Amino acid sequence: MRIHWCGAGLSSGPGLRGLITAGHPVTVWSDPVAQGVTVAGDLTDDIRPYALGAVDAALAQGDIVVSMLPAGPHADLARHCVGHGAHFIWPGYITPELAALDDRARRAGSVVLGEVGLSPGMDHLLAHDLVAAYRAAAAFHPDNVLSFTSLCGGFPAAPDAFRYKFAASPADDLRALRAPARYRRDFTDLTIAHPWDAVRPTVLPLPSPESFELFPNRDSLAYLPVYRFDPHWPVREFLRATLRPLGWADAWQPVFAALAGLPAHNDDAAEAQLAALAESLGTAHAYAPGEADRVVLSVTLLAERAGRPVWQQGWILDATGDVRGSAMARLVSEPVALAAGAVMARELPAGVHPMPHDPRLVARWIAAIAPLAQTFRRTGA
């Protein structure tokens, strides 16, 4: 069972190096090859130029492909994996193209696992833990009114005037901002065409209270069944959102205007304009060598009865880059490596799945992730 790790960008290092150090057979596929050498060249000589055809030719049944590539190529790569009866792991969102592989993957015995990075990924893990704890609590009642929030962001540890720097693909960040956001607030399901129109402040209970800005991302409501909310539970709030430092929305006004001015349909002209904007922003706002980043993640679940809180718990994580590498790299690639371990141990069923909710895996992965952050603790009672 060989692991094919595709992509050796800024978010790959810790998880990739951990798998190699643990003695697993790993082939690194990188474009350019020099990037792979920088990340893992002191541990392995098996670093090859990435090309879909070359990976396809090297695949054997039961192999594992980890895609740390930008969003574009992952669906084709996953299709090739299923065709070989190999497994596929991707930290990003499960797209419709990936979801459509479910029947074929089940027949082939292939695990296609997405949403196992930071967000999506660790946020799911913590949500599963909180919902399970609530179901087991003495205060549980099916008529309790619930409010759920999941907030995550990565940005420079010392933000500059732009309030952000790009750790991965700027184009993927911009595409995410162009996607409409859907969430629930005050029992009302809302759809926002431009997520930046719903920016609002929030305060998180870090070692001392700290203020941030948040904006809703993608379709939060699709995760009600994923997090095992009973469809009959009354849910007042349900929000998955992105965190940014205070001042981000003001600093990004020119970017928002440029995105709003793109053609409404994602045609070739729109994609070309977005790519040019992404290249310009990525060049102007890249992390400097050795510059520390920061990741903040907060997941909370509140239950109320007759207008009074009866149960509330959450998780808060705060991590900064250090000698182990960037916080983003640790918190994206280490969960991916845990997912690869679960596939190798045959702990996951064939088919297309997000982060697993099995209580044993949830507890084990939370324990494994805890050392990756400077602050990682449960809140509430």
Side-chain angles (χ1 to χ4, degrees), residues 344-377:
M344 285 187 280
R346 295 177 171 81
E347 295 178 307
L348 302 172
V352 179
H353 308 283
M355 176 69 79
H357 60 261
D358 182 299
R360 294 167 300 174
L361 287 178
V362 169
R364 196 171 78 216
W365 289 17
I366 286 176
I369 289 165
L372 304 179
Q374 284 81 1
T375 296
F376 185 48
R377 60 185 173 85

Side-chain angles (χ1 to χ4, degrees), residues 257-335:
L259 292 175
L262 294 178
H265 299 291
N266 292 321
D267 56 14
D268 290 343
E271 187 60 27
Q273 292 177 50
L274 186 143
L277 178 61
E279 182 176 5
S280 172
L281 291 173
T283 300
H285 304 287
Y287 279 92
E291 182 179 2
D293 68 333
R294 183 185 183 192
V295 168
V296 177
L297 170 63
S298 170
V299 184
T300 61
L301 178 62
L302 166 67
E304 296 174 289
R305 184 85 168 158
R308 295 175 51 251
V310 295
W311 188 92
Q312 183 172 13
Q313 289 192 12
W315 286 95
I316 190 78
L317 177 150
D318 191 0
T320 54
D322 56 27
V323 293
R324 298 172 292 175
S326 76
M328 186 64 71
R330 294 198 306 271
L331 295 169
V332 171
S333 68
E334 294 280 15

Side-chain angles (χ1 to χ4, degrees), residues 198-288:
V199 172
R200 67 178 192 260
T202 189
V203 179
L204 297 183
L206 293 162
S208 58
E210 187 171 348
S211 297
F212 297 89
E213 294 176 350
L214 67 81
F215 63 90
N217 60 43
R218 302 180 186 262
D219 185 358
S220 294
L221 301 184
Y223 288 90
L224 280 160
V226 173
Y227 295 166
R228 303 170 74 80
F229 276 61
D230 189 288
H232 301 295
W233 290 351
V235 179
R236 182 195 307 276
E237 311 276 347
F238 195 90
L239 173 68
R240 297 180 69 253
T242 299
L243 285 175
R244 291 291 181 256
L246 286 179
W248 172 81
D250 286 342
W252 272 57
Q253 287 300 319
V255 180
F256 302 154
L259 292 175
L262 294 178
H265 299 291
N266 292 321
D267 56 14
D268 290 343
E271 187 60 27
Q273 292 177 50
L274 186 143
L277 178 61
E279 182 176 5
S280 172
L281 291 173
T283 300
H285 304 287
Y287 279 92

